[in-house]
């Protein structure tokens, strides 16, 4: 199985992750990881931080050349903005510099009382979405291995500030190419223009916007996950990971939030065609009883508006204990678009981790053999 810890702070020297359990004999494409990092930095409504950083990852251990050795992978991304914050980060804050006005909706208030450092700056440095850069790098390595196993993960923005777009077939390459090149990760150009206009309006008002992302996982085989214990269910595992992303407040699989459908309509009918098991629909989103059923895994994640609101909203000064307006930290107007890229990579890590739990091995070739054997068993059953 995989496990990783990441460290580093928003304005610190670097972001670091150590990934343990990654199989040997897999060729890592560094250019591909950096392309994922570049995708994370793009999108309409991004803040000034993205014009400073040009993220690129280095791998300090776990590879020989570009081939994995099964030793822990150490990934590092340097923060270019560190030079502007070096003095502040490396010295103890005096009373005048301490931040004591929390932003509602952020980790400022809860972190202030939980860790008792007396300065919200210490909370900001770790709760910042800057941490998602290293999580994206970890997921990008996993996504490469999944692709070699025939599993692809793609995403689309389906709503920002109430402006909605229909979910598309993300594995139609022509359709996805349009989405991937879009500044708002949408297919419909009219919807894109409406969203960009809405983001511009929010920026002028000093406000922020939330929305929803559709993630689709293709190439899944039957049988990943388990119903034997509550913490082994695949949709539960993915939900936990997705909800851990900054700003995500809800997650649904398939048509899971549709309360109007009846059992006859919702549950995906099964039939046999030319010896193959097929589904008429995929309302369950590719997972039944916590186990993948061979259909695409379809997920929708819902993101709230960013709490760094330039206009300011009601808050308090924790030092003076008076009512004030919230302060402003440099941030995006809308982070839904980059969140889509981060979510792809978060899901990639979790899917690969579950695969390695089910098919324990130390090297990539053995992993491929075990998965192919499992797929052959399913095909043989259908042929019989």
């Amino acid at each position: 199985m995989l496990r990783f810890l990441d460290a580093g702070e928003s304005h610190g020297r670097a972001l670091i992750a150590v990934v343990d359990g990654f199989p040997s004999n897999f060729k890592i494409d560094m250019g591909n990881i950096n392309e994922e990092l570049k995708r994370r930095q793009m999108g309409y409504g991004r803040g000034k931080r993205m014009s400073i950083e040009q993220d690129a990852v280095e791998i300090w251990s776990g590879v020989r050349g570009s081939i994995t050795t099964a030793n822990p992978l150490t990934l590092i991304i340097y923060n270019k903005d560190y030079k502007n914050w070096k003095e502040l980060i490396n010295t103890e804050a005096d009373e005048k510099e301490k931040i004591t006005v929390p932003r509602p909706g952020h980790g400022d208030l809860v972190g202030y009382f939980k860790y008792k450092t007396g300065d919200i700056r210490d909370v900001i440095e770790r709760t910042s979405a800057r941490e998602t850069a290293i999580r994206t790098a970890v997921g990008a390595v996993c996504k490469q291995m999944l692709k070699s196993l025939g599993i692809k993960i793609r995403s689309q923005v389906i709503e920002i500030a109430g402006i909605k777009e229909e979910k598309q077939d993300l594995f139609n390459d022509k359709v996805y190419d349009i989405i991937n090149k879009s500044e708002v990760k949408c297919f419909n150009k009219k919807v894109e223009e409406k969203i960009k206009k809405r983001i511009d309006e929010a920026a002028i008002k000093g406000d922020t916007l939330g929305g929803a992302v559709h993630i689709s996982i293709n190439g899944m085989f039957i049988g990943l996950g388990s119903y034997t214990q509550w913490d082994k269910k695949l949709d539960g595992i993915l939900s936990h990971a997705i909800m851990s992303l900054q700003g995500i407040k809800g997650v649904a699989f398939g048509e899971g939030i549709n309360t109007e459908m009846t059992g006859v309509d919702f549950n995906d009918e099964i039939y046999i065609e030319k010896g193959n098991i097929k589904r008429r629909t995929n309302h369950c989103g590719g997972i039944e009883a916590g186990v993948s059923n061979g259909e695409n895994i379809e997920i929708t994640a819902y993101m709230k508006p960013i709490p760094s609101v330039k206009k300011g909203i009601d808050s308090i000064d924790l030092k003076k204990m008076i009512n004030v307006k919230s302060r402003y930290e440099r941030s995006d107007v809308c982070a839904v678009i980059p969140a889509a890229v981060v979510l792809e990579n978060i899901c990639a890590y979790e899917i690969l981790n579950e695969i390695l739990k089910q098919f324990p091995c130390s090297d990539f070739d053995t992993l491929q053999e075990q998965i192919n054997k499992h797929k052959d068993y399913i095909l043989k059953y259908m042929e019989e």
Side-chain angles (χ1 to χ4, degrees):
M1 62 177 285
L2 290 175
R3 57 178 179 166
F4 84 92
L5 285 176
D6 71 80
E9 296 170 333
S10 181
H11 302 102
R13 189 185 299 273
L15 301 169
I16 299 170
V18 176
V19 185
D20 188 40
F22 201 84
S24 64
N25 297 324
F26 182 77
K27 185 179 179 62
I28 291 179
D29 182 345
M30 295 294 293
N32 178 265
I33 301 174
N34 290 331
E35 181 60 31
E36 288 294 294
L37 293 174
K38 183 179 179 181
R39 290 178 67 221
R40 189 197 73 90
Q41 293 187 279
M42 297 171 68
Y44 206 77
R46 300 299 323 253
K48 292 182 179 179
R49 179 72 186 263
M50 293 305 102
S51 64
I52 297 171
E53 305 291 352
Q54 292 181 330
D55 292 336
V57 71
E58 294 180 13
I59 298 183
W60 282 9
S61 72
V63 292
R64 182 80 177 271
S66 59
I67 308 297
T68 57
T69 62
N71 295 332
L73 290 167
T74 303
L75 283 67
I76 184 165
I77 300 171
Y78 287 104
N79 289 328
K80 291 190 176 181
D81 203 20
Y82 170 66
K83 64 183 180 181
N84 300 317
W85 294 76
K86 186 176 180 180
E87 185 176 346
L88 178 67
I89 294 297
N90 292 328
T91 57
E92 293 183 13
D94 60 38
E95 289 301 317
K96 293 180 181 179
E97 292 178 331
K98 287 184 177 180
I99 297 173
T100 56
V101 177
R103 292 161 293 173
H106 209 284
D108 297 354
L109 179 68
V110 293
Y112 181 89
F113 283 107
K114 180 174 178 65
Y115 293 106
K116 305 177 180 68
T117 67
D119 188 359
I120 288 173
R121 168 58 56 195
D122 301 318
V123 181
I124 295 170
E125 286 302 316
R126 188 59 183 166
T127 54
S128 168
R130 177 66 187 149
E131 180 260 355
T132 63
I134 198 67
R135 286 188 79 180
T136 298
V138 170
V141 176
C142 298
K143 191 191 276 190
Q144 287 183 34
M145 181 169 281
L146 289 178
K147 186 176 180 181
S148 295
L149 296 171
I151 298 169
K152 297 179 181 179
I153 304 176
R154 292 177 174 177
S155 68
Q156 169 198 5
V157 171
I158 57 171
E159 182 177 357
I160 288 179
I163 302 170
K164 299 181 180 182
E165 168 165 92
E166 292 292 324
K167 292 179 181 178
Q168 303 294 317
D169 176 6
L170 299 184
F171 300 98
N172 177 323
D173 288 339
K174 289 184 179 179
V175 169
Y176 187 67
D177 186 56
I178 292 171
I179 292 170
N180 208 32
K181 290 177 180 177
S182 164
E183 288 186 279
V184 298
K185 280 188 71 66
C186 284
F187 176 72
N188 188 305
K189 290 299 177 184
K190 290 183 179 179
V191 171
E192 177 175 353
E193 291 307 313
K194 287 181 181 179
I195 288 174
K196 288 167 71 174
K197 182 180 178 181
R198 185 70 181 85
I199 291 172
D200 289 341
E201 291 171 350
I204 292 169
K205 292 177 181 178
D207 210 345
T208 61
L209 305 174
V213 174
H214 169 217
I215 308 108
S216 188
I217 306 173
N218 173 264
M220 289 302 305
F221 48 82
I222 297 174
L224 193 65
S226 177
Y227 49 76
T228 61
Q229 291 290 347
W230 64 270
D231 58 345
K232 293 183 177 181
K233 294 187 176 185
L234 184 60
D235 42 2
I237 290 163
L238 287 168
S239 296
H240 177 211
I242 290 167
M243 289 293 293
S244 73
L245 176 62
Q246 292 89 332
I248 301 298
K249 302 301 284 185
V251 60
F253 289 80
E255 298 298 325
I257 60 170
N258 189 326
T259 59
E260 297 179 0
M261 298 176 75
T262 68
V264 171
D265 297 325
F266 187 92
N267 295 293
D268 306 311
E269 292 182 324
I270 310 167
Y271 66 100
I272 291 288
E273 183 177 276
K274 297 179 180 179
N276 294 317
I277 297 174
K278 293 192 174 184
R279 303 272 178 162
R280 300 194 190 281
T281 56
N282 189 20
H283 298 315
C284 286
I287 299 176
E288 294 172 311
V291 181
S292 61
N293 65 15
E295 299 294 317
N296 286 359
I297 295 177
E298 305 287 0
I299 307 167
T300 304
Y302 300 86
M303 187 178 202
K304 70 183 179 70
I306 292 168
S308 286
V309 181
K310 195 171 185 179
K311 185 178 181 179
I313 54 178
D314 288 346
S315 185
I316 58 173
D317 188 315
L318 292 166
K319 185 177 181 181
K320 299 177 182 177
M321 290 308 292
I322 58 173
N323 294 318
V324 296
K325 288 294 182 181
S326 61
R327 60 195 171 75
Y328 177 66
E329 286 276 334
R330 178 184 60 192
S331 70
D332 303 334
V333 175
C334 181
V336 178
I337 301 142
V341 178
V342 179
L343 287 167
E344 290 176 25
N345 288 286
I346 284 175
C347 289
Y349 172 82
E350 298 299 335
I351 292 293
L352 182 58
N353 190 22
E354 290 308 301
I355 287 174
L356 289 169
K357 288 179 185 177
Q358 185 157 327
F359 305 101
C361 66
S362 299
D363 68 286
F364 179 63
D365 290 340
T366 302
L367 178 61
Q368 280 187 310
E369 289 173 7
Q370 291 187 47
I371 291 175
N372 289 338
K373 187 177 180 180
H374 175 74
K375 290 179 178 179
D376 288 343
Y377 158 75
I378 295 169
L379 288 172
K380 185 177 179 182
Y381 182 87
M382 292 180 184
E383 289 171 357
E384 291 177 350

